[in-house]
Amino acid sequence: MATPPISRSSMSYRSCDKCRRRKVKCGSEEPCANCRISNFVCQYTARRQKRGPRGPRKIARIQSASTERSQNADLPGHESLRNYLPAEAHQLHGSPATFVGSDPGSGQDELRSPRSLHPPTSVVWASMVENSFGSIETIRDDLLLSIQAVLPSIPLVNMVNDCINLFMQYTFPTSPIIHEATVRANASIYFSDTASIGLFSSHEVRQRVDRMRAFTLVTAVCASVASVLPESLLSYGRIVAVPFFRASRQMLKSYEEYDVEYPDSSSLSIRDLHYTAAQHITGRGGLAFHVIGQASLIAQSLHLYREQSVSRNDPIESQLLRLTFWHLHLSDKASACLKNRGGVLHESSFRGKLNLHPRGEPFVPLLDSSKPWYGKSFEERLLVGFHLMERLWSSAARLVIGMGVYEATEDAKEPLVMRLTTVYYDFIEIMDGLPHWLKISSLIALPEDGSVEVFQKKSFWVQRCTLTMTFHCLRLIILQECIEKGFLELIGLDEQPLRVAMKKAEWIQDFIETMEDIPFIYHQIKGEPSVERIRLVGMILLEMIQNVDSEAIKSRVKSYFRRLLDILAKLNSRASEELAG
């Protein structure tokens, strides 16, 4: 005998787990329509909360808890916290963070180490992370739904792997801040078709946060790549950049308090990647500078400028801390030269000397050695080029800051000029020592090049573009500072205006010829940093057009300005509109 259909009025309405977490209407089928569309596992495991008036036992428990709170009301400053913590938390004493270091009498500073802290398993942190756990699953779900809505034909795991491949090819050469094998493994866990529910659940706080960090890092890599690289390399980049960035930022916020107290290398690299994505997605510096400032403060608090501070049982973690610090240090020196934000990692604020080794001994690779296109010594060569960039910015920052200190203190000028002259020659010699694999003769594509040579030449082109554009831009910044601060003798000039204008025009010509010699795709790959250097030179050209008396020099400068605007227009940058106006 057939079972009669059950009417909706006689059926108890119930939402599946996914719809309940996302707070959307559920049809109560098995599986429901939302889960069928999104390829989710549809389950009804959550217990329904009873409705109706509270029973006498529940009322008694509430009254008892209220009485206990009123008895503890005489403890100042703890009332609001106690209402949100389990009873065991009231018995805790001190801070969950522990500082380790040398004997206080030894004269050495205490070192704060994320791997040497006691395991943060207290119920305080468990409660804080648990309070945000209800929304964690929905962050991933919403990311999947938002991208599938606009790009339903491309599996999300394929998009993530595309972004990782492009990062290793074009971004890693100037930002070696992730461990490739780990990121790829986590991408498979969180974005494959077989990904299960409960990906972030764990009984241990640290393990739960580690899983959240892994998701945040993968999505930060995707947001950074998708927001920067041109459509010729990632056709759907502009479509997915914002969803990936939003998901990564939301997940970071869900464990941010814990992350600040117990930082690891991902705490730095995630914010570094968010800095890049924020620059290109928002088009403004406020959020980007705030994010990179957070990363620099964490690096400062961990004393990562000292070799002993990066020592860990895990050599990969040590290498990530090392190279992420150097990348943040480079960014800090760039801000000192460009004067676009305040710096944090000044040597004067370090408690001890900057003695962090550039690459670490023994060398620990971050690239996946199983990939055939890397080959022998490729990563070591990349790190040589990376540290040349850091040396350029550090030398230029010493010159700019040194001239500023003289202006502020009015110390004796001659000894300072001698010291700064030495620094200036060190700066010039950096490009004289360019290794052969970064010279243009080694980067020309040849018909007989195999896949390994093609891959490696593209990565080295990224480094050459960054180094040469940075060098010629910094020469002009140093010249401008010498003019403004009265240090022209530093670069072999005097106060004669015509000579100064001719030298400036000569160096601008060097910059523009270098810019035009670089294949255009590499300007696109560098994104906002490349635009910023071109824009800065454009402002110097505008100043010369307005102030130079020589018509011959003025005519020459105007032609340079037109060539520069052509490049900016192709880069589709707002800077070109600002300069043209």
Side-chain angles (χ1 to χ4, degrees):
M1 181 176 178
T3 304
I6 300 174
S7 66
R8 188 165 182 83
S9 60
S10 63
M11 182 178 65
S12 177
Y13 182 83
R14 192 176 176 198
S15 293
C16 72
D17 296 350
K18 289 290 183 183
C19 292
R20 180 178 55 80
R21 286 191 186 125
R22 296 176 50 239
K23 298 181 181 179
V24 297
K25 186 175 181 180
C26 181
S28 295
E29 307 98 335
E30 292 190 15
C32 72
N34 292 332
C35 289
R36 283 200 307 273
I37 294 171
S38 304
N39 261 342
F40 291 150
V41 177
C42 190
Q43 293 181 325
Y44 294 80
T45 60
R47 294 181 58 186
R48 297 185 63 201
Q49 298 207 353
K50 295 181 180 179
R51 298 186 180 183
R54 292 170 174 156
R57 291 184 181 178
K58 189 169 184 179
I59 294 173
R61 285 199 303 270
I62 294 172
Q63 289 175 341
S64 174
S66 177
T67 303
E68 184 180 352
R69 283 196 299 270
S70 64
Q71 290 173 350
N72 293 328
D74 57 337
L75 298 176
H78 292 274
E79 296 84 349
S80 59
L81 180 62
R82 288 177 179 274
N83 293 339
Y84 296 97
L85 296 181
E88 304 96 292
H90 303 167
Q91 302 169 11
L92 295 175
H93 300 283
S95 167
T98 301
F99 293 84
V100 297
S102 56
D103 184 353
S106 67
Q108 296 181 359
D109 301 312
E110 289 185 330
L111 306 179
R112 184 181 180 187
S113 167
R115 292 300 184 195
S116 59
L117 295 169
H118 291 306
T121 57
S122 76
V123 291
V124 175
W125 291 107
S127 176
M128 293 181 71
V129 176
E130 185 65 38
N131 285 341
S132 63
F133 188 70
S135 62
I136 291 170
E137 291 282 353
T138 65
I139 294 173
R140 176 182 171 273
D141 295 346
D142 289 344
L143 173 62
L144 266 61
L145 286 172
S146 62
I147 292 181
Q148 287 173 350
V150 291
L151 292 169
S153 62
I154 307 176
L156 188 58
V157 69
N158 290 6
M159 293 185 196
V160 174
N161 283 326
D162 283 347
C163 290
I164 296 172
N165 291 339
L166 290 168
F167 183 94
M168 305 315 298
Q169 170 92 83
Y170 297 110
T171 306
F172 187 88
T174 55
S175 303
I177 59 174
I178 68 170
H179 183 245
E180 181 179 6
T182 300
V183 173
R184 289 190 185 278
N186 288 328
S188 178
I189 290 171
Y190 292 104
F191 296 105
S192 68
D193 294 335
T194 58
S196 61
I197 62 172
L199 289 169
F200 304 100
S201 60
S202 173
H203 295 298
E204 293 189 12
V205 180
R206 184 166 61 179
Q207 190 175 42
R208 189 181 307 168
V209 173
D210 284 345
R211 294 174 180 179
M212 292 153 67
R213 279 172 166 160
F215 175 89
T216 308
L217 180 58
V218 172
T219 48
V221 168
C222 294
S224 175
V225 168
S227 64
V228 175
L229 296 190
E231 290 185 6
S232 60
L233 295 176
L234 191 65
S235 59
Y236 50 81
R238 296 297 182 268
I239 300 173
V240 302
V242 172
F244 275 122
F245 183 56
R246 180 171 58 239
S248 194
R249 292 291 294 166
Q250 287 174 344
M251 189 64 79
L252 176 60
K253 286 182 182 298
S254 67
Y255 66 92
E256 191 166 20
E257 291 87 354
Y258 180 103
D259 192 55
V260 172
E261 287 295 330
Y262 300 99
D264 66 0
S265 63
S266 74
S267 309
L268 306 176
S269 55
I270 286 168
R271 288 171 172 83
D272 204 334
L273 294 164
H274 284 178
Y275 166 68
T276 300
Q279 272 189 312
H280 292 83
I281 290 173
T282 67
R284 298 181 180 180
L287 174 61
F289 294 155
H290 172 74
V291 170
I292 199 67
Q294 279 186 327
S296 299
L297 286 170
I298 292 172
Q300 175 79 283
S301 70
L302 293 174
H303 300 182
L304 295 183
Y305 47 86
R306 299 174 60 164
E307 181 62 33
Q308 56 267 48
S309 297
V310 301
S311 298
R312 300 289 183 276
N313 293 330
D314 180 358
I316 293 173
E317 175 69 8
S318 294
Q319 187 72 339
L320 286 169
L321 286 169
R322 178 188 313 280
L323 293 178
T324 307
F325 171 82
W326 282 120
H327 193 254
L328 291 170
H329 188 258
L330 179 156
S331 178
D332 217 66
K333 298 308 174 188
S335 69
C337 295
L338 300 174
K339 301 180 180 179
N340 53 10
R341 66 178 176 91
V344 175
L345 298 175
H346 295 309
E347 282 78 352
S348 59
S349 65
F350 294 166
R351 296 181 180 180
K353 290 184 177 180
L354 172 58
N355 64 2
L356 185 66
H357 194 277
R359 47 168 271 168
E361 296 293 346
F363 175 70
V364 178
L366 298 181
L367 296 178
D368 186 350
S369 58
S370 67
K371 305 297 181 185
W373 48 82
Y374 294 143
K376 186 179 179 180
S377 74
F378 174 63
E379 186 171 352
E380 289 93 329
R381 288 184 171 187
L382 284 181
L383 290 186
V384 170
F386 169 71
H387 284 293
L388 286 175
M389 300 171 211
E390 197 280 330
R391 284 179 59 197
L392 276 178
W393 285 109
S394 292
S395 297
R398 287 172 63 191
L399 288 166
V400 171
I401 293 171
M403 286 184 272
V405 167
Y406 169 76
E407 187 181 44
T409 61
E410 297 185 357
D411 290 338
K413 186 176 180 181
E414 187 174 345
L416 179 60
V417 169
M418 292 179 65
R419 291 198 302 272
L420 293 182
T421 301
T422 302
V423 176
Y424 178 70
Y425 280 111
D426 289 342
F427 167 79
I428 296 295
E429 289 174 355
I430 291 173
M431 295 302 289
D432 293 340
L434 211 60
H436 68 86
W437 61 83
L438 289 176
K439 293 182 178 178
I440 199 163
S441 58
S442 300
L443 298 177
I444 297 172
L446 302 174
E448 60 269 23
D449 284 346
S451 58
V452 173
E453 289 81 8
V454 170
F455 181 93
Q456 294 189 5
K457 283 183 179 182
K458 288 179 180 179
S459 295
F460 290 137
W461 256 118
V462 173
Q463 289 195 329
R464 179 175 175 83
C465 170
T466 306
L467 283 165
T468 54
M469 290 284 287
T470 299
F471 172 75
H472 290 293
C473 178
L474 286 175
R475 266 205 317 181
L476 287 165
I477 289 174
I478 292 166
L479 175 56
Q480 287 289 98
E481 288 293 313
C482 288
I483 294 170
E484 294 175 11
K485 304 294 194 306
F487 277 85
L488 286 169
E489 65 268 38
L490 191 67
I491 53 178
L493 293 175
D494 54 31
E495 299 290 339
Q496 215 284 330
L498 183 60
R499 291 180 184 174
V500 173
M502 290 174 64
K503 177 59 72 174
K504 192 183 292 188
E506 177 189 334
W507 285 1
I508 289 173
Q509 181 183 14
D510 291 343
F511 176 89
I512 292 177
E513 288 180 350
T514 298
M515 177 184 69
E516 292 174 340
D517 286 343
I518 293 170
F520 183 69
I521 185 67
Y522 296 104
H523 291 301
Q524 292 179 301
I525 288 167
K526 290 307 298 176
E528 190 58 35
S530 195
V531 169
E532 188 173 24
R533 289 152 184 65
I534 297 171
R535 179 180 178 276
L536 189 147
V537 175
M539 300 303 292
I540 295 174
L541 284 169
L542 280 177
E543 180 263 334
M544 292 185 70
I545 291 171
Q546 294 172 359
N547 298 325
V548 171
D549 293 329
S550 169
E551 290 299 324
I553 294 178
K554 187 176 292 187
S555 175
R556 186 180 170 193
V557 165
K558 286 180 179 179
S559 70
Y560 295 156
F561 188 72
R562 287 191 294 270
R563 290 161 66 183
L564 185 139
L565 281 182
D566 287 342
I567 293 288
L568 279 176
K570 292 176 184 177
L571 287 171
N572 194 25
S573 169
R574 278 179 255 177
S576 61
E577 298 176 7
E578 183 178 341
L579 288 173

